[in-house]
Amino acid sequence: MKKRTYQIILLLLIIGIISIRLFYQKPNLYRKVDYLLGTYVEVAIYQKPKRARILADSTFNLMRKYEKILSSHIPNSEVYNINHSDRNSIKISSETSDLIRKSEEISKLTSGAFDITVGKICNRCDFVENFYPNQAEIKELLPYVDYRKIRVSNDSLYKESKGIEIDLGGIAKGYIIDKAIEFLRDEEIDKGFINVGGDMFLLDNNNPDKWKIGIQHPRDKGEIFATISVNNKSVVTSGDYERYFIKDGMRYHHIINPKTGMPANDLVSVTVIADKACLADALSTAVFVMGLENGLNLIDSIPDIDAFIIWEKNDKLNYKMSDGFDRYLIDVK
Ligand code: AMP
Ligand code: MG
């Protein structure tokens, strides 16, 4: 009898220890934040802590690898070398050529509103020192801004003029998010998200509810303008409040109309939802340049891509959505 009592107590203890272990191994939302791509990046995945840590670290390493190739600011990155080369033809990796090809497709789709050769102007701007080139300088720089003057063939980029510079800032974050999501999906992670300074890809949520995302108020930092809910989509916003300064009543910001060389001033915020972050990223920048009517017409002509557009008139914010955006919208403030 005594022996049996011991056996039962022992059994209960073992069951207790196992269930405590199981409890602690239950997949929770593991979150890791780090600074890269010029912003704060968060990788959040539902996974047991030990594996989650390893996978999040690998995801950050992967994103860093791409940043080192694609950033125009990192000396000796491929983009840096393209911009500083004194030759017309520069050897590039398959990743860079892949992204430049994708950029060219978006340029054609948007009649040149998206154009990575705005690098010639972007690289002269300094939003920390409040500097934007003056009209005389823009006139000199504009002949170098035309995506038709660069071409990718085999493993090289050909520039019609040596002075051409590129900037992948309007598409690279999305591209890198897609690469990171591909990696996580290959590792059978299907719940979580990646957030690169507000540009996101949402995998599934852990509960039946979808992820709730706030679209930032473009004139009131910290406020939410609208709330949406999505799963298995990318949500990317381009805004004139991200990098800017105001001089003589004019807002100088980082999204440039390639036709004029000046900041695009029709809209203040464009959020695009798409299956690929790369597409959402490039299209949010492009629609920002295209303006309300042309931008919305383009978005409405592409299946499964939606946009929420905000503009300002007489100090009042107005918004309009693409035809299919309703299915994501929870509320607008
Ligand atoms: P985003 O925040 O995605 O709209 O990207 C803005 C960044 O894209 C800028 O900081 C520039 O690096 C780059 N950019 C600005 N204007 C354009 C444009 N018209 N086409 C492509 N890239 C652009
Ligand atoms: Mg973009």
PDB file of all heavy atoms in Angstrom, residues 113-116 118 122 167 169-170 238 242-243 254-256 258 281 284-285 289, ligand 1:
ATOM      1  N   ALA A 113       6.709  56.793 -63.338  1.00  0.00           N
ATOM      2  CA  ALA A 113       6.562  57.451 -62.020  1.00  0.00           C
ATOM      3  C   ALA A 113       7.529  56.810 -61.031  1.00  0.00           C
ATOM      4  O   ALA A 113       8.097  57.484 -60.167  1.00  0.00           O
ATOM      5  CB  ALA A 113       5.130  57.319 -61.506  1.00  0.00           C
ATOM      6  N   PHE A 114       7.692  55.499 -61.152  1.00  0.00           N
ATOM      7  CA  PHE A 114       8.696  54.810 -60.339  1.00  0.00           C
ATOM      8  C   PHE A 114       9.960  54.730 -61.185  1.00  0.00           C
ATOM      9  O   PHE A 114       9.946  54.201 -62.295  1.00  0.00           O
ATOM     10  CB  PHE A 114       8.207  53.406 -59.959  1.00  0.00           C
ATOM     11  CG  PHE A 114       9.135  52.711 -59.006  1.00  0.00           C
ATOM     12  CD1 PHE A 114       9.023  52.940 -57.643  1.00  0.00           C
ATOM     13  CD2 PHE A 114      10.129  51.863 -59.458  1.00  0.00           C
ATOM     14  CE1 PHE A 114       9.893  52.331 -56.746  1.00  0.00           C
ATOM     15  CE2 PHE A 114      11.004  51.254 -58.567  1.00  0.00           C
ATOM     16  CZ  PHE A 114      10.878  51.484 -57.208  1.00  0.00           C
ATOM     17  N   ASP A 115      11.044  55.256 -60.673  1.00  0.00           N
ATOM     18  CA  ASP A 115      12.272  55.289 -61.476  1.00  0.00           C
ATOM     19  C   ASP A 115      13.477  55.323 -60.540  1.00  0.00           C
ATOM     20  O   ASP A 115      13.720  56.324 -59.851  1.00  0.00           O
ATOM     21  CB  ASP A 115      12.248  56.537 -62.382  1.00  0.00           C
ATOM     22  CG  ASP A 115      13.379  56.514 -63.395  1.00  0.00           C
ATOM     23  OD1 ASP A 115      14.439  55.929 -63.091  1.00  0.00           O
ATOM     24  OD2 ASP A 115      13.201  57.086 -64.480  1.00  0.00           O
ATOM     25  N   ILE A 116      14.245  54.229 -60.519  1.00  0.00           N
ATOM     26  CA  ILE A 116      15.363  54.149 -59.560  1.00  0.00           C
ATOM     27  C   ILE A 116      16.519  55.084 -59.928  1.00  0.00           C
ATOM     28  O   ILE A 116      17.388  55.339 -59.087  1.00  0.00           O
ATOM     29  CB  ILE A 116      15.888  52.697 -59.412  1.00  0.00           C
ATOM     30  CG1 ILE A 116      16.353  52.130 -60.744  1.00  0.00           C
ATOM     31  CG2 ILE A 116      14.833  51.814 -58.752  1.00  0.00           C
ATOM     32  CD1 ILE A 116      17.058  50.780 -60.622  1.00  0.00           C
ATOM     33  N   VAL A 118      16.243  58.101 -60.067  1.00  0.00           N
ATOM     34  CA  VAL A 118      16.129  59.345 -59.263  1.00  0.00           C
ATOM     35  C   VAL A 118      17.264  59.404 -58.245  1.00  0.00           C
ATOM     36  O   VAL A 118      17.458  60.429 -57.591  1.00  0.00           O
ATOM     37  CB  VAL A 118      14.784  59.521 -58.498  1.00  0.00           C
ATOM     38  CG1 VAL A 118      13.640  59.812 -59.426  1.00  0.00           C
ATOM     39  CG2 VAL A 118      14.511  58.355 -57.585  1.00  0.00           C
ATOM     40  N   CYS A 122      18.239  61.963 -55.343  1.00  0.00           N
ATOM     41  CA  CYS A 122      18.188  61.511 -53.925  1.00  0.00           C
ATOM     42  C   CYS A 122      19.550  61.637 -53.254  1.00  0.00           C
ATOM     43  O   CYS A 122      19.639  62.051 -52.105  1.00  0.00           O
ATOM     44  CB  CYS A 122      17.802  60.039 -53.826  1.00  0.00           C
ATOM     45  SG  CYS A 122      16.190  59.669 -54.467  1.00  0.00           S
ATOM     46  N   ASP A 167      18.955  54.410 -56.945  1.00  0.00           N
ATOM     47  CA  ASP A 167      18.586  54.328 -55.533  1.00  0.00           C
ATOM     48  C   ASP A 167      17.426  53.335 -55.430  1.00  0.00           C
ATOM     49  O   ASP A 167      16.366  53.544 -56.016  1.00  0.00           O
ATOM     50  CB  ASP A 167      18.150  55.713 -55.035  1.00  0.00           C
ATOM     51  CG  ASP A 167      17.841  55.709 -53.550  1.00  0.00           C
ATOM     52  OD1 ASP A 167      17.536  54.619 -53.013  1.00  0.00           O
ATOM     53  OD2 ASP A 167      17.912  56.780 -52.926  1.00  0.00           O
ATOM     54  N   GLY A 169      15.867  52.574 -52.735  1.00  0.00           N
ATOM     55  CA  GLY A 169      15.135  52.852 -51.484  1.00  0.00           C
ATOM     56  C   GLY A 169      13.616  52.710 -51.592  1.00  0.00           C
ATOM     57  O   GLY A 169      12.939  52.507 -50.599  1.00  0.00           O
ATOM     58  N   GLY A 170      13.081  52.795 -52.804  1.00  0.00           N
ATOM     59  CA  GLY A 170      11.626  52.711 -52.965  1.00  0.00           C
ATOM     60  C   GLY A 170      11.116  51.289 -53.112  1.00  0.00           C
ATOM     61  O   GLY A 170       9.898  51.078 -53.145  1.00  0.00           O
ATOM     62  N   SER A 238       3.843  54.746 -48.093  1.00  0.00           N
ATOM     63  CA  SER A 238       4.775  55.822 -48.451  1.00  0.00           C
ATOM     64  C   SER A 238       4.164  57.121 -47.975  1.00  0.00           C
ATOM     65  O   SER A 238       2.983  57.387 -48.233  1.00  0.00           O
ATOM     66  CB  SER A 238       4.947  55.903 -49.972  1.00  0.00           C
ATOM     67  OG  SER A 238       5.663  54.789 -50.435  1.00  0.00           O
ATOM     68  N   GLU A 242       7.902  61.131 -43.637  1.00  0.00           N
ATOM     69  CA  GLU A 242       8.949  60.227 -43.151  1.00  0.00           C
ATOM     70  C   GLU A 242      10.312  60.913 -43.107  1.00  0.00           C
ATOM     71  O   GLU A 242      11.009  60.859 -42.109  1.00  0.00           O
ATOM     72  CB  GLU A 242       8.987  58.965 -44.014  1.00  0.00           C
ATOM     73  CG  GLU A 242       7.731  58.115 -43.834  1.00  0.00           C
ATOM     74  CD  GLU A 242       7.700  56.913 -44.750  1.00  0.00           C
ATOM     75  OE1 GLU A 242       8.663  56.142 -44.739  1.00  0.00           O
ATOM     76  OE2 GLU A 242       6.719  56.757 -45.486  1.00  0.00           O
ATOM     77  N   ARG A 243      10.700  61.502 -44.246  1.00  0.00           N
ATOM     78  CA  ARG A 243      11.959  62.252 -44.280  1.00  0.00           C
ATOM     79  C   ARG A 243      11.670  63.541 -45.021  1.00  0.00           C
ATOM     80  O   ARG A 243      11.396  63.518 -46.219  1.00  0.00           O
ATOM     81  CB  ARG A 243      13.046  61.441 -44.994  1.00  0.00           C
ATOM     82  CG  ARG A 243      13.637  60.378 -44.071  1.00  0.00           C
ATOM     83  CD  ARG A 243      14.873  59.769 -44.635  1.00  0.00           C
ATOM     84  NE  ARG A 243      14.542  58.819 -45.656  1.00  0.00           N
ATOM     85  CZ  ARG A 243      15.289  58.566 -46.720  1.00  0.00           C
ATOM     86  NH1 ARG A 243      16.404  59.224 -46.902  1.00  0.00           N
ATOM     87  NH2 ARG A 243      14.923  57.670 -47.587  1.00  0.00           N
ATOM     88  N   HIS A 254      11.164  63.011 -49.432  1.00  0.00           N
ATOM     89  CA  HIS A 254      12.038  62.037 -50.099  1.00  0.00           C
ATOM     90  C   HIS A 254      11.414  61.293 -51.286  1.00  0.00           C
ATOM     91  O   HIS A 254      12.066  60.448 -51.881  1.00  0.00           O
ATOM     92  CB  HIS A 254      12.557  61.032 -49.066  1.00  0.00           C
ATOM     93  CG  HIS A 254      11.498  60.120 -48.535  1.00  0.00           C
ATOM     94  ND1 HIS A 254      10.285  60.580 -48.099  1.00  0.00           N
ATOM     95  CD2 HIS A 254      11.470  58.782 -48.378  1.00  0.00           C
ATOM     96  CE1 HIS A 254       9.558  59.558 -47.699  1.00  0.00           C
ATOM     97  NE2 HIS A 254      10.243  58.461 -47.855  1.00  0.00           N
ATOM     98  N   ILE A 255      10.153  61.589 -51.639  1.00  0.00           N
ATOM     99  CA  ILE A 255       9.569  60.887 -52.797  1.00  0.00           C
ATOM    100  C   ILE A 255       9.513  61.869 -53.965  1.00  0.00           C
ATOM    101  O   ILE A 255       8.845  62.909 -53.902  1.00  0.00           O
ATOM    102  CB  ILE A 255       8.170  60.330 -52.467  1.00  0.00           C
ATOM    103  CG1 ILE A 255       8.283  59.416 -51.242  1.00  0.00           C
ATOM    104  CG2 ILE A 255       7.606  59.570 -53.672  1.00  0.00           C
ATOM    105  CD1 ILE A 255       6.947  58.982 -50.681  1.00  0.00           C
ATOM    106  N   ILE A 256      10.268  61.536 -54.998  1.00  0.00           N
ATOM    107  CA  ILE A 256      10.568  62.522 -56.037  1.00  0.00           C
ATOM    108  C   ILE A 256       9.861  62.196 -57.351  1.00  0.00           C
ATOM    109  O   ILE A 256       9.834  61.036 -57.786  1.00  0.00           O
ATOM    110  CB  ILE A 256      12.109  62.559 -56.253  1.00  0.00           C
ATOM    111  CG1 ILE A 256      12.772  63.029 -54.943  1.00  0.00           C
ATOM    112  CG2 ILE A 256      12.490  63.464 -57.418  1.00  0.00           C
ATOM    113  CD1 ILE A 256      14.262  62.877 -54.928  1.00  0.00           C
ATOM    114  N   PRO A 258      10.089  61.927 -60.960  1.00  0.00           N
ATOM    115  CA  PRO A 258      11.250  61.848 -61.868  1.00  0.00           C
ATOM    116  C   PRO A 258      11.144  62.795 -63.060  1.00  0.00           C
ATOM    117  O   PRO A 258      12.159  63.117 -63.674  1.00  0.00           O
ATOM    118  CB  PRO A 258      11.218  60.393 -62.366  1.00  0.00           C
ATOM    119  CG  PRO A 258      10.311  59.664 -61.444  1.00  0.00           C
ATOM    120  CD  PRO A 258       9.340  60.661 -60.909  1.00  0.00           C
ATOM    121  N   ASP A 281       5.601  47.842 -51.931  1.00  0.00           N
ATOM    122  CA  ASP A 281       6.579  48.910 -51.693  1.00  0.00           C
ATOM    123  C   ASP A 281       6.731  49.793 -52.936  1.00  0.00           C
ATOM    124  O   ASP A 281       6.569  51.019 -52.884  1.00  0.00           O
ATOM    125  CB  ASP A 281       7.928  48.266 -51.308  1.00  0.00           C
ATOM    126  CG  ASP A 281       8.919  49.280 -50.786  1.00  0.00           C
ATOM    127  OD1 ASP A 281       8.589  50.476 -50.743  1.00  0.00           O
ATOM    128  OD2 ASP A 281      10.045  48.875 -50.427  1.00  0.00           O
ATOM    129  N   SER A 284       3.494  51.719 -53.755  1.00  0.00           N
ATOM    130  CA  SER A 284       3.134  52.825 -52.856  1.00  0.00           C
ATOM    131  C   SER A 284       3.943  54.071 -53.235  1.00  0.00           C
ATOM    132  O   SER A 284       3.405  55.185 -53.274  1.00  0.00           O
ATOM    133  CB  SER A 284       3.315  52.450 -51.377  1.00  0.00           C
ATOM    134  OG  SER A 284       4.667  52.281 -51.058  1.00  0.00           O
ATOM    135  N   THR A 285       5.204  53.880 -53.562  1.00  0.00           N
ATOM    136  CA  THR A 285       6.035  55.012 -53.994  1.00  0.00           C
ATOM    137  C   THR A 285       5.515  55.570 -55.326  1.00  0.00           C
ATOM    138  O   THR A 285       5.374  56.781 -55.499  1.00  0.00           O
ATOM    139  CB  THR A 285       7.508  54.567 -54.149  1.00  0.00           C
ATOM    140  OG1 THR A 285       7.907  53.890 -52.959  1.00  0.00           O
ATOM    141  CG2 THR A 285       8.433  55.736 -54.404  1.00  0.00           C
ATOM    142  N   VAL A 289       3.663  59.311 -56.478  1.00  0.00           N
ATOM    143  CA  VAL A 289       4.090  60.229 -57.538  1.00  0.00           C
ATOM    144  C   VAL A 289       2.952  60.460 -58.536  1.00  0.00           C
ATOM    145  O   VAL A 289       2.733  61.580 -59.003  1.00  0.00           O
ATOM    146  CB  VAL A 289       5.337  59.660 -58.267  1.00  0.00           C
ATOM    147  CG1 VAL A 289       5.701  60.517 -59.483  1.00  0.00           C
ATOM    148  CG2 VAL A 289       6.525  59.569 -57.305  1.00  0.00           C
TER     149      VAL A 289
HETATM  150  P1  AMP B   1       9.185  54.742 -50.014  1.00  0.00           P
HETATM  151  O1  AMP B   1       9.309  55.173 -48.593  1.00  0.00           O
HETATM  152  O2  AMP B   1       9.081  53.281 -50.227  1.00  0.00           O
HETATM  153  O3  AMP B   1       8.138  55.482 -50.761  1.00  0.00           O
HETATM  154  O4  AMP B   1      10.559  55.071 -50.731  1.00  0.00           O
HETATM  155  C1  AMP B   1      11.077  56.348 -50.796  1.00  0.00           C
HETATM  156  C2  AMP B   1      12.482  56.208 -51.295  1.00  0.00           C
HETATM  157  O5  AMP B   1      12.450  55.742 -52.649  1.00  0.00           O
HETATM  158  C3  AMP B   1      13.245  57.482 -51.317  1.00  0.00           C
HETATM  159  O6  AMP B   1      13.927  57.700 -50.099  1.00  0.00           O
HETATM  160  C4  AMP B   1      14.194  57.268 -52.472  1.00  0.00           C
HETATM  161  O7  AMP B   1      15.266  56.483 -52.030  1.00  0.00           O
HETATM  162  C5  AMP B   1      13.390  56.439 -53.437  1.00  0.00           C
HETATM  163  N1  AMP B   1      12.592  57.204 -54.391  1.00  0.00           N
HETATM  164  C6  AMP B   1      12.163  58.483 -54.311  1.00  0.00           C
HETATM  165  N2  AMP B   1      11.413  58.829 -55.380  1.00  0.00           N
HETATM  166  C7  AMP B   1      11.347  57.710 -56.155  1.00  0.00           C
HETATM  167  C8  AMP B   1      10.726  57.415 -57.403  1.00  0.00           C
HETATM  168  N3  AMP B   1       9.997  58.314 -58.068  1.00  0.00           N
HETATM  169  N4  AMP B   1      10.895  56.159 -57.910  1.00  0.00           N
HETATM  170  C9  AMP B   1      11.625  55.233 -57.251  1.00  0.00           C
HETATM  171  N5  AMP B   1      12.232  55.459 -56.090  1.00  0.00           N
HETATM  172  C10 AMP B   1      12.093  56.669 -55.530  1.00  0.00           C
END
